[in-house]
Amino acid sequence: IKHPASFPESLVKEFIEFFTKRGEWVLDPFLGSGSTLIAAYETGRNGIGIEISDYWAGIAKKRLDEVRRQKKITYYLEGEETKQIIIVGDSREIDKIWMENDFPKVKFVITSPPYWNQLKRNYIRQRKRVEKKLPTTYSEDPRDLGNIDDYERFLLEQKLIFDKVYEVVQDKGYLVVITNNIYADGKLYPLAFDTLITLSERWVPKDEKLWLQDDKPLIPLGVYTSYVGNRHHQYCLIFQKDEERRDEMRKDILKRVKELYQRLFNKSWSF
């Protein structure tokens, strides 16, 4: 059973192999159906995945166990053993999770947080899942980011989680966030760009990569009423933890926000 917003292991593998070496630790704070841990296992990396939903954590475990069974003989002959750990919990409490389990700091983080509450709105693309009686949302848990209806609150909650993730990453380690801009209520919400800006208070933005979904069918949206585009790409935002530049990044973003408000409202602002 596939997650309603999954991404392919091949995409994760590419990032993991580029940013880490065999035996190093990888984290996914929004594990979903387990693609990151499967990719970590297949590339000889240790992995930790945190998932708020018991249901999806169970699916992730089943998928990971199946992959392990299929490759057990090969890995036994090669003498390579790694750990892939699934934690059912809230990433807002990642500091407590780390202390309770005595986890090491990780070298790399890759994840795809909910695209705000988009799954609750996306009736057209979810129609086939409804017909097959498959889940169309992440969960009913009010703590789930995908169930937050206020956009600004969502951005704040997401930022707070990645602020905590920052503390469990090695200095000079990297973070990749897979996200996208979304269309809702008749307008475009710049979720990918707002994610880049809000996380840049602490994380150093390094680059972006586009994931092209060329297998995604076109849908006639807004025909004869208004323009609504088909979005067939996702943004892979790349950040680095750099303690030497942390204060510099915070001062820079506050300065830019201050200048922006001064230009918009022609007022003096102080932080």
Side-chain angles (χ1 to χ4, degrees):
I1 299 176
K2 291 185 177 180
H3 195 274
S6 61
F7 50 81
E9 284 87 41
S10 57
L11 176 71
V12 190
K13 280 183 184 179
E14 185 177 334
F15 281 114
I16 287 177
E17 290 180 328
F18 184 83
F19 286 112
T20 65
K21 297 177 182 178
R22 300 181 81 86
E24 292 186 326
W25 285 85
V26 176
L27 166 67
D28 186 341
F30 298 94
L31 182 62
S33 58
S35 296
T36 297
L37 292 191
I38 291 172
Y41 176 75
E42 293 183 337
T43 55
R45 273 71 168 173
N46 296 292
I48 301 168
I50 302 174
E51 173 52 45
I52 200 168
S53 164
D54 282 302
Y55 176 80
W56 291 114
I59 295 296
K61 184 179 184 304
K62 289 179 182 178
R63 295 184 65 215
L64 184 58
D65 288 346
E66 181 60 29
V67 172
R68 283 172 172 160
R69 281 194 294 270
Q70 293 175 358
K71 301 197 174 185
K72 186 174 181 180
I73 296 178
T74 302
Y75 281 29
Y76 175 78
L77 293 174
E78 293 177 354
E80 184 175 42
E81 184 176 349
T82 56
K83 297 179 180 179
Q84 290 75 41
I85 303 168
I86 298 173
I87 300 292
V88 179
D90 188 346
S91 287
R92 294 177 182 86
E93 300 177 347
I94 198 168
D95 50 344
K96 295 179 182 178
I97 292 172
W98 242 248
M99 289 182 62
E100 290 172 358
N101 293 276
D102 195 26
F103 287 146
K105 287 196 172 184
V106 301
K107 183 67 179 240
F108 178 57
V109 181
I110 183 166
T111 193
S112 182
Y115 293 5
W116 186 22
N117 62 356
Q118 188 72 347
L119 288 184
K120 294 167 66 175
R121 304 168 180 265
N122 203 346
Y123 304 112
I124 296 178
R125 292 200 182 278
Q126 299 285 23
R127 186 177 298 161
K128 289 185 179 180
R129 295 186 64 85
V130 173
E131 293 172 354
K132 295 179 181 179
K133 297 183 179 180
L134 295 175
T136 56
T137 60
Y138 298 111
S139 73
E140 299 298 325
D141 193 323
R143 299 173 300 165
D144 195 317
L145 289 187
N147 292 326
I148 297 176
D149 291 329
D150 182 82
Y151 182 67
E152 284 71 27
R153 184 189 160 208
F154 171 87
L155 289 174
L156 176 60
E157 293 279 352
Q158 179 182 246
K159 178 189 181 301
L160 293 176
I161 288 175
F162 283 110
D163 283 351
K164 288 200 171 185
V165 167
Y166 184 93
E167 301 301 330
V168 302
V169 177
Q170 298 176 20
D171 191 30
K172 301 298 188 292
Y174 283 86
L175 160 70
V176 172
V177 179
I178 302 171
T179 187
N180 206 355
N181 299 321
I182 58 175
Y183 187 86
D185 302 324
K187 68 176 184 179
L188 183 72
Y189 285 81
L191 175 59
F193 307 147
D194 284 339
T195 297
L196 178 67
I197 292 170
T198 54
L199 268 61
S200 294
E201 183 187 354
R202 181 165 295 193
W203 296 87
V204 179
K206 303 295 288 190
D207 205 350
E208 64 179 0
K209 184 173 182 178
L210 294 184
W211 163 30
L212 174 63
Q213 296 174 287
D214 53 5
D215 60 341
K216 192 174 176 182
L218 291 170
I219 295 178
L221 303 171
V223 176
Y224 306 125
T225 57
S226 63
Y227 173 78
V228 181
N230 279 266
R231 203 161 290 104
H232 287 194
H233 68 278
Q234 315 290 323
Y235 289 92
C236 303
L237 306 176
I238 303 171
F239 302 87
Q240 186 180 31
K241 175 177 179 176
D242 189 336
E243 289 286 74
E244 293 179 2
R245 298 188 62 187
R246 179 174 171 178
D247 290 340
E248 172 194 337
M249 295 303 302
R250 185 175 185 276
K251 290 178 181 178
D252 181 61
I253 192 170
L254 290 177
K255 178 182 176 182
R256 282 189 290 157
V257 170
K258 178 180 178 180
E259 290 175 349
L260 175 61
Y261 274 92
Q262 286 178 334
R263 291 175 184 175
L264 286 174
F265 303 111
N266 194 28
K267 295 181 179 179
S268 294
W269 293 75
S270 61
F271 291 91

